[in-house]
Amino acid sequence: MIKVINVVGARPNFMKVAPIVAVMKKRPDRFEPLVVHTGQHYDASMSDAFFTDLELPKPDIHLGVGSGTHAVQTAGIMERFEPVVVDQRPDWVLVVGDVNSTIACALVCVKLGIKVAHVEAGLRSRDRTMPEEINRLLTDQIADLLFTTSTDADRNLIAEGIPSERIRFVGNVMIDSLINNLERAKQSNIKSRLALTDGTYAVLTLHRPSNVDNKQTFERILDALESIANSLPIIFPVHPRTRKTIADLGLSERVQSMKNLRLIDPLGYLDFLSLYSTARLVLTDSGGLQEETTSLGIPCLTLRENTERPVTVELGTNVIVGTDTDKIITAAMAALNGSSSNRVTQVPLWDGHAAERILDELEQYTPRSH
Ligand code: UD1
């Protein structure tokens, strides 16, 4: 029996772990999965809603860490996770993505001699001012098995001196969740609640510190949104960090006065999937949404200077537009006029079966005597 602690902490982790745990439950003779929630995200709309929507089993252990500075949050997770690992002695700890919970739990394990698997390894923005880039670099250096979503990630890892025996190109578990839930999401009534018709609106998400913590940058983005909102309504589910900075930066009045920019609370997985899957355009600084829009062929403008997911630009619908007002407007108009080049090619191994391949690899890697 292979005992695996599956770590979740922040919103983008839940849809990556859900398909892995679901497939583990289908192999009960080989896998004993536990779910540990660090508590990095804790609001009902940022956490609980995803367990329900994704049918992810309630956490076996909740560390209840909550928010804090990077040091406080990372150290808090480590302190609370270490005794869990000592007590449970898992064969593997599986961490996903690039959030503080990912590096914190990986670091605890490597010091205890517990094997770590990193799902979504090898992505690089080459921008070390992003906290996520530091989390990715360090987690990949210390994990035993590195599961990648695209072959550029394999190349990044090799270039950093990681032996190829530790790398497995398995595809994208986030797309497993998307494919598994697309039909269920059609039952969501979010579009009727917002009085929206398919293909007539844009969806916006914004939460990166580099965009929302800096007034000038945020204002440049708002200038662009003001212009784009003349063409179609923009639906904006607001991350708690962003809601706070809108108030702190004195931007509340401006944002509220933009009639066609519709601020709503963060949405659960199925409501959000229902919303963006029939959008005319997505504007975002999220990593996952760049992949999800590529998988569905929805035009996506990434409001960042770089991406750690170049495959979404090369094979998909993603355009990196940065935060320059004119560039954002020009790209949005090109997308709305259909004049942008929206190549939609199936990305290799983004086929809904990545979780199965991960488990096959874990089985092969773990001796049968278990
Ligand atoms: C974290 C991840 C980021 C990911 C994002 C998705 C790191 C370094 N960052 O950023 O990679 O894209 O999650 O959401 O791990 N807050 C609440 N309720 C919550 C959670 C957060 O109000 O449930 C507020 C708090 O004011 C908190 C702030 O949001 O201080 C930031 O939360 P934090 O977990 O530090 O980072 P995110 O910006 O969410």
Side-chain angles (χ1 to χ4, degrees), residues 71-276:
V72 165
Q73 189 173 61
T74 308
I77 295 166
M78 289 182 70
E79 263 185 348
R80 294 178 193 204
F81 189 57
E82 186 178 54
V84 172
V85 177
V86 169
D87 184 41
Q88 296 289 340
R89 298 310 296 180
D91 298 296
W92 285 96
V93 169
L94 190 139
V95 296
V96 299
D98 54 17
V99 301
N100 286 344
S101 301
T102 311
I103 177 62
C105 293
L107 192 49
V108 165
C109 293
V110 71
K111 298 286 181 80
L112 291 172
I114 299 287
K115 285 203 184 70
V116 179
H118 183 207
V119 174
E120 204 187 71
L123 299 181
R124 297 290 181 268
S125 66
R126 299 188 168 74
D127 174 0
R128 290 197 181 197
T129 65
M130 287 179 77
E132 293 82 3
E133 183 74 353
I134 305 302
N135 294 343
R136 292 179 201 117
L137 280 159
L138 299 182
T139 304
D140 288 340
Q141 279 299 323
I142 58 179
D144 296 274
L145 252 188
L146 300 167
F147 292 117
T148 60
T149 51
S150 50
T151 49
D152 57 281
D154 293 40
R155 288 192 293 276
N156 291 336
L157 294 169
I158 298 282
E160 286 166 20
I162 290 169
S164 56
E165 303 84 72
R166 281 168 53 199
I167 306 168
R168 303 284 189 283
F169 171 42
V170 291
N172 194 329
V173 282
M174 184 170 241
I175 304 303
D176 288 8
S177 269
L178 191 159
I179 292 172
N180 292 343
N181 288 291
L182 204 50
E183 272 312 303
R184 290 177 67 224
K186 290 185 182 150
Q187 311 301 316
S188 155
N189 63 4
I190 183 70
K191 286 180 277 189
S192 61
R193 277 192 276 146
L194 296 171
L196 294 169
T197 330
D198 290 0
T200 62
Y201 58 91
V203 171
L204 166 72
T205 81
L206 215 52
H207 74 280
R208 297 272 162 219
S210 58
N211 282 339
V212 303
D213 291 1
N214 178 297
K215 191 167 185 187
Q216 280 78 36
T217 311
F218 207 155
E219 283 182 318
R220 283 203 304 274
I221 295 173
L222 287 177
D223 290 342
L225 295 174
E226 201 148 33
S227 164
I228 298 164
N230 289 323
S231 300
L232 78 179
I234 302 173
I235 315 303
F236 183 16
V238 189
H239 187 288
R241 167 197 278 284
T242 310
R243 195 169 284 282
K244 190 164 171 288
T245 59
I246 288 174
D248 292 351
L249 298 175
L251 292 169
S252 301
E253 219 169 290
R254 164 132 201 239
V255 166
Q256 269 147 31
S257 72
M258 291 167 62
K259 260 210 299 226
N260 239 359
L261 180 69
R262 294 174 58 185
L263 275 64
I264 59 173
D265 286 334
L267 295 173
Y269 185 78
L270 293 173
D271 282 346
F272 190 57
L273 174 54
S274 166
L275 188 67
Y276 73 75

